[in-house]
Amino acid sequence: MERAQDVETAGQAASAAGGVATEETTPTGVFGRPLHAPPRRPLPRIRFHRIDLLVATGYLALAATVLSGQWRDTDSGYLIKSGQDQTMWEWFFAVTAHSVATLRNPLGTDLQNFPAGVNMMANTASFGVGVPLTPVTLLFGPTVTFVLVLTLGLAGTAFAWYRLFSRELVDLRVAAGIGGLFCGFAPAMISHASAHPNFVVLALLPIIAGQLIRMARRALVRERIIDTARSAHDGAERQRGGVMSGWDRPRRRVRDAVALGLLVALQIALGEEPLLIFALAFGLFALVYYSHAPRTAGRVLRGITPTVALAGVITMMLTEIPLWWQFFGPQSYRSIDHGPMGNDVDALVQFPSESLGGVFSPGQNVAINPTEQNAYFGWPLLLLVVITVALLWRDRVVRAAGAVIAVFGVLSLGAVATIGKKSTGIELPWRWAEHVPLLNTVLETRLTMAAIPAIAAVLALATERAVTTWKQSAVDWKPLAWFGVLACALLPLTPTILPVTNRAPTPEFFADRTVRRYVTDGSVVMVPPPRPPDARALRWQADADFAFPLAGGYFVGPTGTTKKGIYGPDTRPTTALLVSAQDTGAVPPIDADTRMLALDDLRFWQADVLVLPATPNGDVLRETVTQLLGYAPTRVQDVWLWDVHPLR
């Protein structure tokens, strides 16, 4: 393993330079591991210990169990709590595969929101998994891709953090396994597993952290060796040059920069918001970790800055076109106004709904929606973490982790604190942070996800400390007490199987692609057009192999001249009219002005046909459209159809 090899190289270099291994001259570790620790048996990076494979299998089995309801029925099963997000994500995967298969630009498409289209880069399409899994999507359908990504995301994130903890934080694999388990299956992860692959596939974040930690360690060792060599005799100085050639050669720095640049670029292709939150949290962690030794921090910073700068250049080279498209391309937007999206204080101490604690001790529903239970750590775990951080405060990792938990927990509460959905009027730091560019696009409730690996690190360190104490004295009751308390804290957070319902089948008119006979170069206008509260038509379009573009849809795009982002398109008069008719169950008043607005909308959409499938208050909608157009529809298979070619 690289950590052991680094230690051996450092020792050889120090010896060659004439250094003496003392507390002051021996390089201190990064992320809690001293560089003078006894090296482990080096293993090639591509190999895994048998225990690692066992841990990975366990994580995968748990992830498959959590999503077993969806796995059992990938044809008509639908995760209940996803709202319309599962439909949206399946469409993202389907249209990405369609673009790749037909050699079209995947960064933008007019198959939704016709004719303006959708900026896919500005819509978290996760090309990092959508493009590689194109064969899966084409062979088995987007639902299989969706549930596969979620399953591998949960298990992969857990295992990646386990590997980081076992390599850089603790020696005890059980402790690392507990940390990885919490990182992969924390309440926020299970909540997002109903709808948001971009917040579930987070395995690259600990890999990026590991890369930065190794770079920092090598930079620190370089600085220490150079200092030692400067005080040594000339012969040692010459020897230092030979030893350092393997440690400090430019090729190594370039290799580090390329690896980091590739990792960050790939994470951008998976999800930018998690990367931003991670970067802020990791920066705070490092700041607190090195706060006791500013000179050491300066040495590390000097050592890694050139490499990080080169990695940034590489990342920009790899992502220049996609990022330009996202921020300046067609249908791009500058920011998005989410409104108040902070965590309720009660959300910090309650149990998540999809957990054993949520089943047996449900609390008030204070989440902004079922897929955003980003805190919900439960009071037993929070109490345990507070006490553990206090007891282990002298440990630098624990102090840094505690700072991340506290700072991001407060930021996640939003601009004004609320308790039980009632505003307290107390202004919080997010009131000022939300005006910072990029930060103003983040849902503040998601900032608590930065606390997940920090909590996991505290639990892992405390577990190793307990086992070490038990090995020293088998009659000591403290280790047993720790595991008992840990079980009481984590057991209520055990995830349950995510509930699934059956969705209605795709209308035959789309499923057998009869729609092709009625569409030329225009769009299909559903009655009413798809929108964020009802995006079913996106699935029907995918089932028809994207034989037609859709007016309306579910996406994020710009509105007005300010280019502020909103969910769905600007509401057209005809859309508002049809939605009102469906919601009220009554035909609205229709006059000449209403008909003129409808005609303008049809021309804007470049509509070929209006299609009314089976839907609530379908009779009211049919009568409304008939009065708007002045003629009755035709029944084609299982839909009503108005041919509006002559009106264009």
Side-chain angles (χ1 to χ4, degrees):
M1 294 169 66
E2 183 172 340
R3 178 173 57 189
Q5 294 169 344
D6 287 349
V7 174
E8 290 181 324
T9 306
Q12 294 168 0
S15 298
V20 179
T22 67
E23 282 295 321
E24 294 184 356
T25 61
T26 302
T28 56
V30 180
F31 207 16
R33 301 290 305 180
L35 288 176
H36 58 270
R40 296 180 183 176
R41 181 171 59 90
L43 294 172
R45 246 189 231 185
I46 59 174
R47 294 178 57 188
F48 292 94
H49 193 282
R50 283 176 295 179
I51 295 179
D52 294 345
L53 296 177
L54 182 62
V55 169
T57 302
Y59 290 155
L60 184 60
L62 179 56
T65 300
V66 169
L67 290 158
S68 59
Q70 182 68 82
W71 274 116
R72 282 194 295 266
D73 186 3
T74 56
D75 290 329
S76 60
Y78 193 87
L79 293 168
I80 295 175
K81 295 193 174 181
S82 70
Q84 297 297 306
D85 286 352
Q86 179 172 343
T87 298
M88 179 188 69
W89 274 97
E90 289 177 355
W91 188 87
F92 284 162
F93 291 137
V95 79
T96 297
H98 177 75
S99 296
V100 172
T102 57
L103 302 180
R104 297 182 181 182
N105 176 16
L107 301 179
T109 180
D110 63 359
L111 288 170
Q112 186 183 168
N113 191 37
F114 190 83
V118 174
N119 188 320
M120 294 289 286
M121 266 303 295
N123 274 269
T124 64
S126 287
F127 293 122
V129 288
V131 172
L133 291 179
T134 289
V136 175
T137 305
L138 295 177
L139 289 173
F140 304 105
T143 303
V144 172
T145 302
F146 177 73
V147 67
L148 178 64
V149 168
L150 292 175
T151 303
L152 296 180
L154 290 174
T157 300
F159 185 73
W161 281 108
Y162 158 79
R163 286 281 289 176
L164 179 65
F165 291 153
S166 65
R167 289 166 66 94
E168 304 292 349
L169 184 64
V170 294
D171 291 312
L172 187 66
R173 293 183 186 273
V174 170
I178 292 172
L181 181 69
F182 186 74
C183 286
F185 298 91
M189 296 291 290
I190 300 303
S191 175
H192 286 292
S194 285
H196 304 145
N198 58 323
F199 270 92
V200 173
V201 183
L202 304 179
L204 285 186
L205 299 182
I207 297 176
I208 293 172
Q211 179 67 19
L212 289 170
I213 290 168
R214 289 188 293 273
M215 288 166 51
R217 178 185 297 116
R218 285 193 285 269
L220 191 56
V221 170
R222 282 195 299 268
E223 292 285 340
R224 293 299 182 98
I225 292 176
I226 290 173
D227 288 347
T228 303
R230 283 173 178 169
S231 62
H233 51 75
D234 294 340
E237 178 73 14
R238 288 192 296 271
Q239 288 184 10
R240 179 187 66 82
V243 175
M244 285 295 290
S245 64
W247 187 274
D248 195 32
R249 60 168 63 121
R251 185 187 309 171
R252 184 55 178 267
R253 292 190 176 188
V254 171
R255 188 162 67 242
D256 284 343
V258 170
L260 182 60
L262 288 172
L263 288 170
V264 174
L266 184 53
Q267 180 57 49
I268 288 174
L270 292 172
E272 297 169 30
E273 192 174 349
L275 177 62
L276 175 61
I277 295 173
F278 164 79
L280 294 173
F282 193 82
L284 175 62
F285 182 95
L287 183 65
V288 177
Y289 182 84
Y290 284 115
S291 61
H292 80 294
R295 293 183 62 185
T296 301
R299 290 178 172 185
V300 171
L301 190 60
R302 283 197 307 271
I304 68 172
T305 295
T307 307
V308 172
L310 179 57
V313 172
I314 293 171
T315 298
M316 291 305 300
M317 291 173 60
L318 293 172
T319 60
E320 180 180 5
I321 293 176
L323 290 179
W324 179 90
W325 193 283
Q326 175 180 347
F327 293 105
F328 304 103
Q331 291 298 101
S332 59
Y333 53 90
R334 297 291 176 263
S335 63
I336 182 168
D337 187 6
H338 295 290
M341 291 291 177
N343 282 323
D344 193 291
V345 173
D346 283 349
L348 300 176
V349 297
Q350 289 186 181
F351 299 122
S353 58
E354 300 307 322
S355 69
L356 293 182
V359 171
F360 293 104
S361 181
Q364 181 185 2
N365 179 18
V366 294
I368 59 177
N369 65 57
T371 65
E372 296 289 351
Q373 294 185 355
N374 295 297
Y376 286 81
F377 297 116
W379 65 266
L381 177 61
L382 284 186
L383 181 61
L384 176 62
V385 169
V386 169
I387 294 174
T388 304
V389 169
L391 293 176
L392 302 182
W393 185 252
R394 297 184 63 184
D395 189 301
R396 288 190 293 162
V397 173
V398 172
R399 287 202 303 272
V404 171
I405 295 168
V407 170
F408 281 83
V410 171
L411 289 176
S412 77
L413 298 177
V416 178
T418 60
I419 301 178
K421 290 192 172 183
K422 295 180 179 179
S423 175
T424 63
I426 300 175
E427 294 188 356
L428 299 173
W430 187 255
R431 174 170 291 280
W432 297 275
E434 66 181 351
H435 298 295
V436 178
L438 293 183
L439 280 182
N440 56 11
T441 64
V442 175
L443 292 181
E444 51 267 39
T445 173
R446 294 173 176 173
L447 293 171
T448 40
M449 296 190 71
I452 293 174
I455 291 174
V458 172
L459 297 181
L461 284 168
T463 299
E464 184 172 61
R465 183 76 63 90
V467 173
T468 301
T469 302
W470 179 77
K471 287 181 179 180
Q472 294 172 350
S473 176
V475 297
D476 194 338
W477 59 271
K478 295 178 183 177
L480 294 179
W482 165 257
F483 282 104
V485 173
L486 182 64
C488 291
L490 295 183
L491 188 61
L493 303 180
T494 303
T496 55
I497 297 175
L498 296 179
V500 174
T501 188
N502 289 323
R503 53 181 157 191
T506 299
E508 293 180 8
F509 179 73
F510 299 109
D512 65 10
R513 301 175 190 175
T514 302
V515 63
R516 289 178 181 269
R517 301 204 302 262
Y518 297 90
V519 178
T520 54
D521 58 347
S523 69
V524 170
V525 178
M526 305 300 300
V527 181
R531 58 203 189 283
D534 183 3
R536 293 173 299 164
L538 299 183
R539 176 178 174 86
W540 304 341
Q541 183 194 45
D543 287 344
D545 196 23
F546 298 99
F548 58 90
L550 272 169
Y554 183 14
F555 59 95
V556 180
T559 180
T561 58
T562 61
K563 300 201 76 174
K564 185 175 287 290
I566 60 169
Y567 290 95
D570 282 326
T571 302
R572 308 288 300 185
T574 304
T575 299
L577 182 77
L578 295 175
V579 170
S580 175
Q582 184 175 46
D583 291 345
T584 62
V587 178
I590 295 174
D591 54 22
D593 290 339
T594 308
R595 293 188 180 93
M596 184 61 67
L597 290 173
L599 184 60
D600 289 342
D601 289 341
L602 293 177
R603 288 171 177 165
F604 172 82
W605 289 321
Q606 301 175 30
D608 281 341
V609 290
L610 273 71
V611 178
L612 174 61
T615 189
N617 291 324
D619 291 341
V620 173
L621 288 171
R622 177 155 54 95
E623 180 61 26
T624 300
V625 176
T626 297
Q627 290 190 29
L628 278 175
L629 300 180
Y631 57 90
T634 302
R635 185 70 176 178
V636 179
Q637 292 179 302
D638 51 356
V639 303
W640 292 100
L641 184 145
W642 290 264
D643 189 337
V644 293
H645 282 88
L647 301 180
R648 292 175 55 190

